[in-house]
């Protein structure tokens, strides 16, 4: 959602891009405004939604809960992908993206067939402006300070689950599905 707002160059998107390029976290006001707009106007959110990277602070979590309560809804899960900071830096700084489709590659783990070109279209790949070690390390400091309390917030609500993200992608995916499949089992 942030990326699409940035790409569309909306006022909120332009403000978010400047902050992200500097390695900062986008303000609650900007993010909450974007999410509220999506929940109210995006028909794809009608039957549920997944938020990636939100909430990042306890005040954001409170605002999300209030938004959902006003809609007669409640958050069902809060999943944290857990990984060592140094491994995360190496993974993200090698990430490459095809802007038009969103397809992603990695210089080491999933390289394109031809250097810096999308396998499907042959169009150029990019490295996002905030996928550099300096910006990422700054974001990680902020993450540990501001976001760690969100884990406690959702643990207290009984909806938090942690997944080891250092595993191969298939194992991470299977662990994530288990979180959601537990709902199906408990409802039967």
């Amino acid at each position: 959602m942030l990326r699409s707002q940035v790409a569309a160059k909306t006022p909120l998107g332009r403000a978010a891009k400047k902050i992200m390029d500097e390695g900062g976290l986008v303000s609650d006001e900007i993010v909450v405004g974007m999410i509220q707009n999506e929940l109210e106007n995006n028909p794809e959110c009608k039957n549920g939604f997944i938020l990636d990277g939100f909430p990042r602070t306890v005040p954001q979590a409170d605002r999300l809960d209030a938004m959902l309560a006003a809609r007669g809804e409640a958050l069902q899960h809060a999943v944290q992908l857990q990984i060592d900071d140094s491994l995360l830096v190496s993974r993200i700084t090698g990430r490459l993206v095809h802007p038009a489709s969103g397809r992603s590659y990695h210089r080491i783990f999933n390289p394109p067939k031809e250097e810096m070109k999308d396998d499907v279209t042959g169009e150029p790949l990019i490295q996002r402006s905030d996928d550099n070690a300096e910006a990422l390390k700054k974001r990680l400091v902020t993450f540990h300070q501001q976001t760690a309390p969100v884990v406690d917030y959702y643990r207290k609500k009984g909806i938090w689950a942690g997944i080891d993200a250092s595993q191969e992608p298939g194992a991470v995916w299977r662990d994530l599905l288990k979180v959601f499949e537990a709902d199906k089992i408990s409802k039967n």
Side-chain angles (χ1 to χ4, degrees), residues 5 8-9 37 39 57 61 79 90 94 97 105 109 112 114 126 161 167 169 186:
Q5 293 277 330
K9 297 183 180 176
N37 183 56
L39 293 177
T57 65
V79 178
S90 70
V97 178
Y105 299 86
F109 305 116
E114 188 175 341
I126 64 162
Q167 306 173 85
S186 67

Side-chain angles (χ1 to χ4, degrees), residues 1-3 5-6 11-35 53-57 60 63 130 139 142 146-147:
M1 179 177 39
L2 272 172
R3 306 275 176 224
Q5 293 277 330
V6 169
L12 289 174
R14 285 193 302 272
K17 181 174 181 5
K18 182 178 183 215
I19 294 164
M20 290 168 16
D21 285 349
E22 295 169 355
L25 293 178
V26 178
S27 74
D28 291 0
E29 181 181 336
I30 292 171
V31 176
V32 169
M34 289 179 180
I35 290 174
F54 182 86
R56 293 180 186 252
T57 65
Q60 286 179 348
R63 286 179 117 177
D130 60 333
R139 288 197 322 255
T142 304
Q146 293 183 355
T147 307

Side-chain angles (χ1 to χ4, degrees), residues 55-59 61 78 146-155 160:
R56 293 180 186 252
T57 65
V58 171
Q146 293 183 355
T147 307
V150 176
V151 169
D152 291 333
Y153 178 91
Y154 286 120
R155 275 189 179 138
W160 177 86

Side-chain angles (χ1 to χ4, degrees), residues 55-173:
R56 293 180 186 252
T57 65
V58 171
Q60 286 179 348
D62 286 332
R63 286 179 117 177
L64 177 62
D65 285 349
M67 262 196 295
L68 292 174
R71 296 166 52 91
E73 300 172 351
L75 198 62
Q76 295 172 351
H77 300 283
V79 178
Q80 180 185 20
L81 299 178
Q82 302 170 303
I83 190 167
D84 180 74
D85 286 358
S86 61
L87 180 55
L88 181 63
V89 169
S90 70
R91 285 185 176 179
I92 290 181
T93 56
R95 185 167 51 184
L96 303 169
V97 178
H98 178 245
S101 69
R103 277 185 291 279
S104 67
Y105 299 86
H106 192 278
R107 294 180 195 278
I108 297 167
F109 305 116
N110 181 32
K113 293 174 186 170
E114 188 175 341
E115 188 173 341
M116 294 304 291
K117 292 193 178 183
D118 180 54
D119 290 350
V120 176
T121 65
E123 295 171 338
L125 299 175
I126 64 162
Q127 184 169 28
R128 293 186 343 207
S129 59
D130 60 333
D131 280 357
N132 63 73
E134 184 179 312
L136 183 56
K137 287 176 184 177
K138 186 175 179 181
R139 288 197 322 255
L140 284 169
V141 168
T142 304
F143 169 82
H144 291 302
Q145 291 171 346
Q146 293 183 355
T147 307
V150 176
V151 169
D152 291 333
Y153 178 91
Y154 286 120
R155 275 189 179 138
K156 288 176 186 171
K157 289 184 171 279
I159 62 171
W160 177 86
I163 294 177
D164 177 5
S166 67
Q167 306 173 85
E168 60 92 13
V172 174
W173 181 247

